[in-house]
């Protein structure tokens, strides 16, 4: 052992490693296990080009994909009481929050932005699953209330995109209280005569599903998304049997009358533009009349 | 034979001694009145000590006590001429949520409540108080009925949670709960909710978006059961005691957090030691809450209800 082996060699190794191929250039589809080139996956909005599996889309990417030309303005979320219960499990909640903030660069699990979709005003509140599983605590509730207020102020459509396991347990009862609060937010938009559209993405469960998420004027689900109230494990433990295949998936909800449609991510923007137009512009604008109806092509999932 | 909780053991022992004394001297030859009185005083002291400083986990056990008065007993004690109304008009009648109309201290009211059942047969009938979508949809229907006839709504909450099952999910448990919260926030009549025992998560809040939310002194109200929380956050179900403490699920904590509006005192040793007293005390508290709202315009009641919930969580403990 010498100075050379202990110090110089690791340094050289570190230098060499940088020039090696980074292992994140290729992703593996969790559904079909095929390799996808990173850039291709991003270009496809994280839909597997092989099997059509919809992977989770980060909240920022979600905003980009929905607004015209990917242009939007985010609003700052209202300040809230951090850690109201002084909660501590195996870790302190404040530390968990800090870790989530460092990891995502966001203050909490929701992003609120406004802009235009098909030229029409829209406010989008997108959950960030990367932030504590998109769980709904006071900050998320405030985000939804703020998004609703903004939509009313701008006479805009409100689109909420949940991606959440449910309530933020570390905020105890106050996270449960976000259920009525988010319901009030949705109600304010409805009372103003504005469309309230919910885009259910993977996952939408627990207290999030049992509040604002199930109250959309229009409910759209992404293919394969898990949507439901009780977690699969809890149900299995209660009834002591295996759950049927496809249980609580978007297609299952469509079949059971719980959502209006299951829409491929590549068709989402076009669908939203059509819906918002139909709801808010009952007499179409001249240029729309002149245009032929766009042919909706659903990409073949099995291609 | 009374049911004693683990931490009630010293009380059980003393009460056992009293019973024994009474039995031994059943022939009346010995005067044991003094001895019994002394023991009884000791029991009272013991109960006062134990119940004066119940931990959160102990409260969870009291809230789940099998002899704790349940919804039906409150309805029987407080509502005259209670007329049950069944069904959601869509699928079924769910016995986990009972509802109907009757008179509360002379005033027509709509009552909605979760019933756990009190013996094996009735527990199965009421599905242990765990409602399915049809139960919540019945609640919505009754709220709409109350609204149409300007009747106050009284909801009584006692559930471990909404039923987690395939059928419940297939029929839209999430939607049913969401719509019930919405219905409760929408009505233009006085709405008082009371947590009798367990306020279990979404299953409870569904019928608790009220103007006034009351809790019995030893009731608990939480986003998740301490057991569920422990198994998720601690990855150990035996950490339920710690989780119960951390969740701040007692009536006393919730009042401080501004989540509930009032606590109804229970008799010494908990509601199961004085059912009638408990039922009367809750009746008084509900009457006081309704009196506060008397004469207030329905639209104002609705607006205040919303403001109350919107303000929640804007302050910490």
């Amino acid at each position: 052992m010498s100075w050379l082996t202990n110090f110089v060699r690791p340094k050289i190794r570190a230098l060499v490693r940088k020039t090696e191929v980074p292992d994140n250039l290729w992703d593996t589809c969790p559904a079909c296990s095929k390799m996808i080139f990173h850039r291709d996956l991003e270009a496809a909005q994280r839909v597997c080009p092989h099997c059509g599996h919809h992977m989770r889309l980060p909240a920022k990417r979600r905003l980009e994909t929905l607004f015209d030309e990917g242009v939007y303005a985010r609003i700052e979320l209202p300040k809230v009481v951090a850690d109201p219960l002084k909660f501590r499990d195996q870790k302190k909640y404040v530390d968990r929050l800090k870790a989530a903030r460092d990891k995502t660069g966001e203050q909490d699990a929701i992003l609120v932005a406004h802009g235009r979709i098909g030229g029409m005003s829209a406010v989008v509140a997108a959950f960030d699953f990367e932030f504590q599983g998109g769980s709904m605590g006071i900050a998320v509730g405030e985000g939804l209330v703020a998004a609703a207020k903004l939509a009313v102020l701008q006479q805009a459509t409100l689109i909420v995109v949940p991606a959440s396991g449910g309530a933020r347990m570390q905020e105890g009862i106050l996270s449960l209280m976000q259920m009525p609060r988010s319901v009030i937010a949705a109600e304010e938009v409805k009372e103003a005569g504005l469309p309230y559209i919910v885009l259910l993405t993977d996952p939408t469960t627990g207290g999030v599903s049992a509040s604002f998420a199930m109250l959309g004027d229009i409910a759209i689900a992404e293919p394969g998304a898990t949507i439901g109230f009780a977690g699969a494990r809890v149900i299995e433990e209660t009834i002591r049997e295996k759950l049927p295949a496809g249980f609580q998936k978007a297609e299952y909800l469509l079949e059971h009358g719980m959502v209006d449609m299951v829409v491929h991510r590549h068709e989402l923007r076009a669908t939203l533009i059509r819906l918002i137009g139909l709801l808010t512009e009952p007499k179409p604008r001249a240029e729309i009349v002149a245009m032929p109806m766009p042919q909706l092509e659903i990409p073949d999932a099995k291609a | 034979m009374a049911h004693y909780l683990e931490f009630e053991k010293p009380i059980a022992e003393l009460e056992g001694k009293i019973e024994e004394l009474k039995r031994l001297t059943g022939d009346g030859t010995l005067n044991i009145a003094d001895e019994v009185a002394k023991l009884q005083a000791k029991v009272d002291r013991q109960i006062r000590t134990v119940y004066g400083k119940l931990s959160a986990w102990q409260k969870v056990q009291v809230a789940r006590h099998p002899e704790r008065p349940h919804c039906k007993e409150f309805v029987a004690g407080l509502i005259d001429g209670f007329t049950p109304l069944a069904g959601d008009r869509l699928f079924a009648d769910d016995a986990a949520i009972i509802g109907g109309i009757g008179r509360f201290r002379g005033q027509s009211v709509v009552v909605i409540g979760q019933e756990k059942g009190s013996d094996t047969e009735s527990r199965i009938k009421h599905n242990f108080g765990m409602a399915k979508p049809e139960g919540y949809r019945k609640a919505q229907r009754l709220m709409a009925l109350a609204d149409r006839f300007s009747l106050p709504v009284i909801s009584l909450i006692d559930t471990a949670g909404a039923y987690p099952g395939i059928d419940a999910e297939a029929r839209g448990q999430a939607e049913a709960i969401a719509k019930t919260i919405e219905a409760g926030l929408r009505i233009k009549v006085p709405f008082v909710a009371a947590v009798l025992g367990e306020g279990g998560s979404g299953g409870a809040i569904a019928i608790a978006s009220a103007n006034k939310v009351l809790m019995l002194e030893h009731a608990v109200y939480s986003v998740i059961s301490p057991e569920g929380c422990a198994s998720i956050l601690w990855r150990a179900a035996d950490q339920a005691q710690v989780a119960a403490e951390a969740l701040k699920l007692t009536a006393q904590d919730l009042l401080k957090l501004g989540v509930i509006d009032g606590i109804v005192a229970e008799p010494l040793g908990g509601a199961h030691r004085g059912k009638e007293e408990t039922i009367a005390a809750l009746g008084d508290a509900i009457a006081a809450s309704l009196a506060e709202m008397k004469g207030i315009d329905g639209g104002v009641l609705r607006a205040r209800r919303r403001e109350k919930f919107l303000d929640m969580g804007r302050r910490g403990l």
Side-chain angles (χ1 to χ4, degrees), chain A residues 47 113 127 175 201 222 236 244 269:
Chain A
V47 175
F127 278 64
S175 65
T201 70
E222 279 204 329
E236 281 182 340
R269 219 179 91 80

Side-chain angles (χ1 to χ4, degrees), chain B residues 20-299:
Chain B
E20 212 172 308
L21 262 181
K22 281 182 180 165
R23 221 181 17 251
L24 277 175
T25 58
D27 52 2
T29 51
L30 261 163
N31 189 354
I32 51 139
D34 278 2
E35 188 60 24
V36 168
K38 249 189 250 168
L39 277 172
Q40 192 57 52
K42 228 174 160 183
V43 168
D44 290 350
R45 265 204 311 278
Q46 190 71 45
I47 294 177
R48 216 177 294 276
T49 316
V50 169
Y51 273 79
K53 52 174 173 61
L54 287 182
S55 69
W57 176 243
Q58 286 169 335
K59 283 198 186 247
V60 170
Q61 291 167 276
V62 175
R64 294 173 181 167
H65 196 290
E67 283 154 26
R68 193 171 173 83
H70 287 159
C71 176
K72 273 188 169 174
E73 289 161 87
F74 283 92
V75 171
L78 296 175
I79 309 295
D80 295 321
F82 179 65
T83 307
L85 298 172
D88 64 349
R89 300 295 185 275
L90 296 162
F91 181 77
D93 183 47
D94 184 349
I97 291 187
I98 57 173
I101 41 179
R103 284 194 190 275
F104 171 71
R105 303 196 175 177
Q107 147 93 61
S108 277
V109 293
V110 163
V111 183
I112 298 162
Q114 287 152 336
E115 174 58 44
K116 285 182 165 179
S118 47
D119 52 33
T120 306
E121 195 188 335
S122 63
R123 281 184 192 123
I124 290 167
K125 180 186 161 201
H126 294 288
N127 198 27
F128 302 84
M130 294 188 288
K132 295 181 182 181
E134 42 276 22
Y136 293 110
R137 290 181 182 129
K138 173 163 70 180
Q140 290 166 35
R141 192 171 74 78
L142 294 179
M143 287 177 187
L145 182 78
D147 206 31
R148 201 162 108 66
F149 292 94
S150 300
L151 306 178
V153 175
I154 298 171
S155 76
L156 304 172
I157 293 139
D158 193 11
T159 183
Y163 184 67
I166 294 180
D167 53 344
E169 294 291 319
R171 292 195 291 276
Q173 186 72 292
E175 192 266 358
I177 293 171
K179 277 274 167 63
T180 314
I181 297 173
E182 187 183 60
L185 288 166
R186 213 176 250 176
I187 50 176
K188 292 181 171 177
V189 294
F191 181 7
V192 182
V195 184
L196 308 176
E198 273 186 286
S201 195
I205 186 65
I207 58 166
S209 56
N211 291 91
K212 297 277 174 191
V213 180
L214 308 171
M215 269 177 89
L216 290 185
E217 189 182 348
H218 304 310
V220 295
Y221 188 9
S222 180
V223 66
I224 185 169
S225 71
E227 293 91 338
C229 182
S231 84
I232 296 172
L233 291 183
W234 279 265
R235 307 205 178 277
D238 59 3
Q239 292 294 302
Q241 304 195 21
V242 187
E245 214 58 61
L247 282 166
K248 302 268 189 290
L249 42 64
T250 69
Q252 293 69 30
D253 280 336
L254 299 192
L255 187 67
K256 276 189 228 160
L257 284 168
V259 168
I260 62 164
D261 304 286
I263 298 175
V264 179
E266 293 184 27
L268 192 60
H272 56 284
R273 282 181 170 264
K275 292 191 179 191
E276 281 177 23
E277 222 179 314
T278 308
I279 292 166
L282 181 65
D284 290 346
I286 292 173
S289 293
L290 288 177
E292 273 178 52
M293 289 183 270
K294 205 178 160 87
I296 299 176
D297 173 74

Side-chain angles (χ1 to χ4, degrees), chain A residues 46-61:
Chain A
R46 301 192 64 80
V47 175
C48 174
H50 305 294
C51 71
H53 176 72
H54 285 53
M55 299 181 205
R56 283 183 191 136
L57 198 61
K60 268 190 198 158
R61 283 280 289 141

Side-chain angles (χ1 to χ4, degrees), chain A residues 148-278:
Chain A
K149 285 205 186 327
L150 184 65
V152 173
L153 196 72
Q154 298 188 337
Q155 290 292 294
T157 295
L158 176 63
I159 301 169
V160 183
V161 191
S164 169
R168 179 89 46 93
M169 270 179 289
Q170 293 91 342
E171 292 184 19
I173 193 81
L174 291 169
S175 65
L176 189 71
M177 292 304 127
Q178 303 315 310
M179 292 172 68
R181 296 182 89 229
S182 69
V183 170
I184 295 167
E187 186 88 339
E188 284 181 353
V189 174
K190 289 180 183 177
E191 277 175 358
L194 300 162
Y196 170 52
I197 299 174
V198 182
L199 168 58
L200 303 150
T201 70
D202 188 62
T204 300
T205 55
V208 166
S209 73
S211 58
F212 70 91
M214 279 294 161
L215 298 174
D217 291 312
I218 308 278
I220 304 172
E222 279 204 329
T226 296
I227 305 157
F229 179 63
R233 196 168 54 92
V234 177
I235 299 174
E236 281 182 340
E237 279 169 10
T238 307
I239 60 170
R240 294 194 182 87
E241 53 183 285
K242 277 269 163 219
L243 296 170
F247 180 69
Q248 290 184 326
K249 294 293 177 201
E251 296 73 15
Y252 175 92
L253 269 88
L254 182 67
E255 195 185 312
H256 285 82
M258 292 301 150
V259 295
D260 290 289
M261 54 187 98
V262 176
V263 179
H264 191 286
R265 194 173 286 160
H266 296 169
E267 297 300 319
L268 258 179
R269 219 179 91 80
T271 306
L272 286 170
I273 291 170
R274 193 155 37 97
L275 284 169
I276 301 170
L278 288 167

